[in-house]
Amino acid sequence: MSQQRSSWKSNFGFLLAAIGSAIGLGNVWRFSYMAHQHGGGAFLVPYLVALIVAGVPIMIIEYGLGHREKGSSPLSFVRIDKKFEWLGWWMPIIAMFGIMLYYSVVIGWCINYFFYSFNLSWGSDTQGFFFSQFLQLSDSASDIGGIRTPIAAATLFVWILCWFICYRDIRHGIEKASVIFMPILFLLTIILVLWSLFLEGASDAIFNHYLHADWSKINLFSDDPEVQSSAGKVWAAAFGQIFFTLSLGFGIMITYASYLPQETNIGKNAFITCFVNCLYSFIAGFAVFGIVGFMAQSQGVPFEDAIKGGPQLAFVVYPQAISLLPSMNVLFGAIFFLMLVIAGLTSGISLIEAFTCAITDKFDWPRGKVVTVICVLGFLGSLIFTTRAGLYILDIADHFITNYGLVIGGLLECLIIGWVLKASVLRKHISRLGTVIPPLWDILIKFITPVILIYLLYLSLAGDLAENYEGYPTGQLLLYGVGLIFICLVVALVLTLAPWKPEKLKRRHRSEEDELLI
Ligand code: PHE
């Protein structure tokens, strides 16, 4: 007996959940650091171009597809053509096992740091504290060492929270959590940004490093081949960031949109999600640059030496800056880490949902049990990232998933929707719902976006073949990077083999009107 598909209580609740998925840890540290590394204000140009030519069009695809087929990603793809069901599985499996396993551990770090901020336990050597005391990082990825208990405990807490939220159906679980969490997240962010803006040294960093544009970094047409090739990398990074930040290529937005009622303005929702997410990144950048500028000034070091990338920005630079604040450091620290925990949680639940919905759609097992099994397995899987080699494995997994997993997912999505379903069919389905999508969109997703994504893949591949990512030994890159993607593919193929109940495959929602539009 097929279960009744649940739905959002309101469009606003859906938007908050989708924006909650998009706004995550990546908006805070990934975006700011990328902007700094890739030409400051000039980075906004490739970022905006990526948003327009890939972000918004693919968001429209995912919303449109989920809404039209009323299904998780495997169900949506199988309804287009049986041949593509594996892709519908591969995307949420990558999300679940490639991303959520380490994402939950990073949220666990944030929880630890939230408590550390009460007495600034990180001391004056925040770098030594993070790597040697907190992570107790081993010498290489092959030396796994033991599990770090405080990290594993916090990770367990994250999984329990996610389980608690996802256990219930969408409107009583994820929607309710988003309606509570998202306003808190926005409030905490606004407080932090305003506070940071008034710190001494903040405006210098913001104007001279964040908003100041170094155009040479993005000049693809330079005569100097070196400038040109490094500009290529900047453009590639901007596209990668857009995919990651908008949670595209995981099947999440397809799943979320499948719970929308028949009459919903899909186009408008897609624009709002993209706009709010990117605006959030841009605004959060003021807090990051402001406080790093303050720290640089109070220590008398150049800004370049003060800012660091990746996890170090949140767990080394920020704690140091927090300790230096003249007053209310504890409050500032607690707000910052709480903000990260909330941003991370609202993304984490979306990763679990995409996989849960895929399983319940195909097998009709009770949702609660599926979520319980997924969370128990998820926690056990994430333990590998709580070991002393966790950071290395995380770094390798993240590199391969963001540069290949996501981009391949997005590329295939464009091609299947553009050429197999036919772009115009989906465009007309969406346009009928309120926001008219111009025919240019067909050209984008059939030709332009795929060509750009193929070029991106080529760039990443050429870079990885020329030298080992971050100098890791080939064996480890193959194991934790390529191996992970491959295992996800095998699991996807196995799940594809299971048969569907025939009634699931009927195109209940393909209206006659749709057929006439082809
Ligand atoms: N969009 C989230 C961020 O920017 C990351 C994320 C990716 C979350 C994929 C869910 C799915 O951090």
Side-chain angles (χ1 to χ4, degrees):
M1 199 18 225
S2 211
Q3 299 166 50
Q4 174 77 27
R5 196 174 189 81
S6 65
S7 62
W8 302 100
K9 197 160 157 217
S10 69
N11 193 55
F12 184 65
F14 157 75
L15 272 178
L16 283 183
I19 292 170
S21 169
I23 295 180
L25 303 171
N27 295 59
V28 184
W29 74 53
R30 214 163 183 269
F31 173 79
S32 304
Y33 182 72
M34 286 204 157
H36 168 254
Q37 203 185 15
H38 299 314
F43 180 70
L44 292 177
V45 174
Y47 184 76
L48 284 178
V49 172
L51 174 66
I52 293 165
V53 305
V56 176
I58 298 182
M59 183 67 80
I60 293 177
I61 290 185
E62 294 211 353
Y63 277 180
L65 185 62
H67 178 262
R68 179 172 184 271
E69 306 295 350
K70 286 277 174 288
S72 55
S73 52
L75 184 53
S76 296
F77 279 107
V78 82
R79 279 184 177 157
I80 295 177
D81 190 325
K82 183 96 191 75
K83 281 202 291 289
F84 304 118
E85 182 187 340
W86 69 272
L87 177 66
W89 280 108
W90 190 56
M91 297 196 301
I93 288 173
I94 288 237
M96 184 61 210
F97 298 104
I99 297 196
M100 185 55 190
L101 296 194
Y102 74 73
Y103 209 77
S104 58
V105 177
V106 180
I107 305 173
W109 295 353
C110 297
I111 294 179
N112 275 285
Y113 268 71
F114 171 74
F115 288 110
Y116 291 154
S117 59
F118 288 112
N119 48 7
L120 309 179
S121 334
W122 44 69
S124 51
D125 176 15
T126 53
Q127 179 146 3
F129 180 85
F130 179 60
F131 290 112
S132 311
Q133 247 174 290
F134 179 64
L135 297 180
Q136 297 188 358
L137 194 62
S138 59
D139 293 332
S140 80
S142 55
D143 174 12
I144 295 222
I147 286 175
R148 292 280 301 118
T149 323
I151 304 180
T155 306
L156 176 63
F157 180 66
V158 171
W159 280 101
I160 292 177
L161 265 181
C162 290
W163 170 80
F164 183 73
I165 296 171
C166 294
Y167 188 85
R168 282 176 256 196
D169 68 358
I170 201 83
R171 69 165 63 186
H172 298 102
I174 291 185
E175 181 166 6
K176 225 180 203 168
S178 307
V179 169
I180 298 172
F181 281 147
M182 293 312 286
I184 301 180
L185 177 65
F186 291 137
L187 186 72
L188 294 179
T189 311
I190 291 171
I191 297 176
L192 211 67
V193 169
L194 292 178
W195 195 337
S196 310
L197 282 182
F198 290 103
L199 293 172
E200 226 172 295
S203 55
D204 174 58
I206 289 169
F207 287 110
N208 296 329
H209 295 278
Y210 188 26
L211 302 179
H212 170 80
D214 177 358
W215 298 110
S216 69
K217 289 246 167 100
I218 63 160
N219 185 0
L220 284 174
F221 305 105
S222 162
D223 297 333
D224 181 345
E226 224 160 82
V227 173
Q228 201 182 11
S229 109
S230 78
K233 291 200 182 115
V234 173
W235 281 82
F239 275 83
Q241 172 65 3
I242 278 293
F243 266 93
F244 189 80
T245 193
L246 293 175
S247 307
L248 293 174
F250 297 104
I252 294 177
M253 297 306 184
I254 299 180
T255 308
Y256 273 14
S258 75
Y259 299 123
L260 281 169
Q262 208 48 37
E263 288 311 311
T264 303
N265 194 329
I266 292 290
K268 191 162 131 200
N269 281 342
F271 286 114
I272 295 179
T273 314
C274 294
F275 178 75
V276 174
N277 172 73
C278 295
L279 184 69
Y280 181 95
S281 289
F282 181 63
I283 292 177
F286 285 84
V288 173
F289 277 75
I291 192 146
V292 178
F294 156 76
M295 187 179 95
Q297 194 179 60
S298 41
Q299 294 184 324
V301 295
F303 183 86
E304 262 69 23
D305 296 345
I307 193 158
K308 292 199 167 64
Q312 290 206 56
L313 187 60
F315 299 101
V316 173
V317 178
Y318 241 86
Q320 202 172 0
I322 291 167
S323 295
L324 288 171
L325 286 173
S327 60
M328 294 197 283
N329 342 41
V330 171
L331 185 65
F332 194 99
I335 292 182
F336 176 68
F337 286 108
L338 185 61
M339 177 180 106
L340 287 184
V341 171
I342 296 180
L345 265 183
T346 49
S347 300
I349 51 181
S350 71
L351 289 161
I352 297 177
E353 176 59 33
F355 189 53
T356 303
C357 179
I359 296 277
T360 51
D361 267 356
K362 184 150 193 178
F363 299 100
D364 266 340
W365 292 332
R367 178 184 173 87
K369 287 203 179 121
V370 171
V371 171
T372 307
V373 172
I374 288 180
C375 289
V376 170
L377 292 180
F379 169 66
L380 294 177
S382 55
L383 285 178
I384 180 117
F385 296 101
T386 66
T387 60
R388 295 179 50 198
L391 184 62
Y392 300 122
I393 305 176
L394 185 159
D395 189 24
I396 298 174
D398 178 66
H399 173 77
F400 280 89
I401 301 278
T402 25
N403 287 296
Y404 300 98
L406 295 194
V407 182
I408 294 176
L411 170 66
L412 294 178
E413 249 178 358
C414 285
L415 294 177
I416 292 172
I417 302 301
W419 296 92
V420 182
L421 175 71
K422 303 269 184 291
S424 59
V425 173
L426 196 60
R427 173 166 55 79
K428 286 172 186 164
H429 170 82
I430 298 167
S431 297
R432 231 188 6 253
L433 295 164
T435 302
V436 177
I437 309 287
L440 171 70
W441 180 77
D442 298 11
I443 299 174
L444 270 176
I445 67 160
K446 283 170 96 161
F447 304 100
I448 302 180
T449 317
V451 167
I452 294 174
L453 296 182
I454 290 172
Y455 178 63
L456 264 182
L457 281 174
Y458 159 77
L459 276 183
S460 307
L461 201 62
D464 278 334
L465 291 178
E467 56 182 323
N468 281 10
Y469 170 66
E470 301 271 318
Y472 287 109
T474 312
Q476 283 164 20
L477 293 177
L478 288 178
L479 177 66
Y480 299 124
V482 183
L484 182 68
I485 295 190
F486 184 71
I487 290 174
C488 291
L489 190 59
V490 172
V491 178
L493 291 175
V494 170
L495 288 167
T496 304
L497 289 180
W500 286 93
K501 293 198 176 135
E503 72 265 20
K504 291 262 178 184
L505 301 185
K506 281 191 210 123
R507 282 236 175 77
R508 286 169 295 148
H509 297 277
R510 188 165 193 176
S511 57
E512 280 168 25
E513 247 175 292
D514 254 6
E515 306 293 347
L516 295 175
L517 291 169
I518 300 181

